[in-house]
Each structure stands twice: as C-alpha cells, then as structure tokens.
Amino acid sequence: MQKILVINSKGGCGKTTMATNLASYFASQDLATALLDFDPQGSSIRWLNQRPKSGPSIYGVHVASRKNTTGVTRSFQMRVPPETDCMIIDAPAGVTGHELMELIRMVDTIIIPVLPSSIDIHAVTRFIEELLVVGKVRQMGLNVGVVANRAKKNTLTYRSLERFLKTLKLPFITTLRDTQNYVHAAERGIGIHEMWDKRTDSDKAQWRPLTRWLEDANPVKTKRKIAH
Ligand SMILES: Nc1ncnc2c1ncn2[C@@H]1O[C@H](COP(=O)(O)OP(=O)(O)OP(=O)(O)O)[C@@H](O)[C@H]1O
Ligand SMILES: [Mg+2]
C-alpha cells in the first residue's frame, strides 16, 4: 500500500485540494483508495460526501473525530480495508512536534503544497526544517516532495517561490496553476482527473510529473498495474 501524507503547517495552501485530487486520480485509475481526514474541519470528508454515486468509490475516514487520550488514533490502520492500494492523509494546519511525528510514521511519502507568497515561503522553510531535523524524514527513507500551488506564472511572487524551491534539498515536483477548475471540482466531490472539459487539459498535464514521481516511488504498485 502506498501511504501519502499531504501536509504543511501553513493553513490554506492547498492540502485538502491536493489530497482530494490525488484520491480522485487513484480511484479513477481503478486503484482501491482511502482518504483519511485528520482535520477537525473535515473538508475532505465533506468533499467525499458530495461524490457522485456513479464515480469510482473512495473509502473515507474522519480520524480527527476519533482521537483518544493517547493522542492520534492507534487503531486507524485497521480501519483502512486490507486491499487498499493508496492511502492519502489530509493533515490539518499547524501540526508540529509529537503530532507531526505520529503522522510521519504512518506514511512512506510526503507532499508539501506551498503558495507563492513571502509569508508562505517563510512558514514552509521552518516546516521543512522540522521535517528534516526533528522528523528525520531522510534517515527514515521517506519520499518528500514540494508542489507549488495556485501559481500565476508571470508574477514576481511566483518567480520568487520558484527560485526558493530550486534552492531546497528536496524535489520540487510540479506547479499547479490558480484556476477555478479546482473550486468547481471540489464543489462536485470530484477531482480534475474526473473532468472532461478541455479547459482541464493543462491542469492534468501539470499533475503528470507528480503522478509519475509517485509511481516511481512505489514500483510494487506500478508492477501490479502492469500485470493487470
Ligand atoms: N490551484 C488552485 N486554484 C484555485 N483555487 C485553489 C487552488 N488550490 C486551492 N484552492 C482553493 O484555496 C482554498 C484553500 O485550499 P485548501 O482548502 O485545499 O487548503 P488547505 O491547506 O487544506 O487549508 P486548511 O489549512 O484550512 O486545511 C480553497 O478554497 C481551495 O478551493
Ligand atoms: Mg484542509
């Protein structure tokens, strides 16, 4: 099972958008997909509840509501069906310290969405430092990558985000543009990979480096797909 955490301590950078679009992508590839919402706001679960009955199903759990006195749920893994191919965790904003460590231990891949703004660049610098130094994600052999989100390509803020991401010692995987397509998809409980409007073609193309990176990170699943 591939286990992906979408996280950034900064709020509003696109964690839920990425988590739900990833879930929709995997489900549309006929992979058994689970979406775990660790955010008390429950935005991913609300998205899941909007999903059309005709689309490929996604198994959802609102983990935030099941926290017990020992911290993050111990038994949540058991709630994911055993045949799950891809498990995606949508993290809340502001996760640090012990809670961050618990989330890191549950996954093999971490995706960090970042917005083009100096406040977001500053916040993510500290967050990445915590992942590397305290979380020891490198030593743990985790795949960690960064995605620029809500980009308006020819703006100064995007250019400074791009420059910053290129200096990181983490892969800068792709850039997702700022578009209402994500807003419309969210309202309908689908992802851009489930939209057939030509206007989503360039968004699908922007996701390609990310889905390729995930497939490369998980050759077992890729092999399974080839064998199908
Ligand atoms: N690429 C994009 N283009 C346009 N709108 C976007 C894009 N990505 C995210 N948004 C919008 O930005 C808002 C915040 O996104 P989202 O809820 O995914 O962030 P978040 O990191 O999960 O926030 P929180 O920290 O509150 O959980 C939402 O209204 C979402 O629809
Ligand atoms: Mg969210």
Side-chain angles (χ1 to χ4, degrees), residues 26-101:
F26 286 127
S28 66
Q29 298 286 303
D30 280 338
L31 293 164
T33 305
L35 180 58
L36 306 187
D37 192 345
F38 272 71
D39 192 337
Q41 291 181 87
S43 310
S44 277
I45 294 302
R46 218 171 13 254
W47 172 83
L48 212 45
N49 291 337
Q50 306 288 329
R51 249 179 111 60
K53 298 277 173 287
S54 55
S57 69
I58 295 167
Y59 183 88
V61 190
H62 194 189
V63 182
S65 61
R66 298 192 179 163
K67 261 190 186 176
N68 55 34
T69 48
T70 59
V72 179
T73 71
R74 283 166 297 155
S75 55
F76 95 95
Q77 293 271 18
M78 288 160 50
R79 295 201 185 94
V80 176
E83 68 276 11
T84 303
D85 295 307
C86 305
M87 179 189 93
I88 299 141
I89 296 180
D90 179 12
V95 176
T96 56
H98 177 69
E99 209 183 355
L100 177 62
M101 289 307 297

Side-chain angles (χ1 to χ4, degrees), residues 176-209:
L176 307 179
R177 67 178 178 141
D178 187 283
T179 165
Q180 286 297 297
N181 290 340
Y182 290 106
V183 179
H184 295 148
E187 280 162 5
R188 295 168 53 198
I190 58 174
I192 50 128
H193 290 93
E194 294 172 292
M195 292 170 98
W196 301 110
D197 189 324
K198 278 259 166 256
R199 281 171 291 189
T200 60
D201 285 356
S202 57
D203 303 308
K204 288 173 187 141
Q206 292 186 323
W207 274 76
R208 203 55 210 127

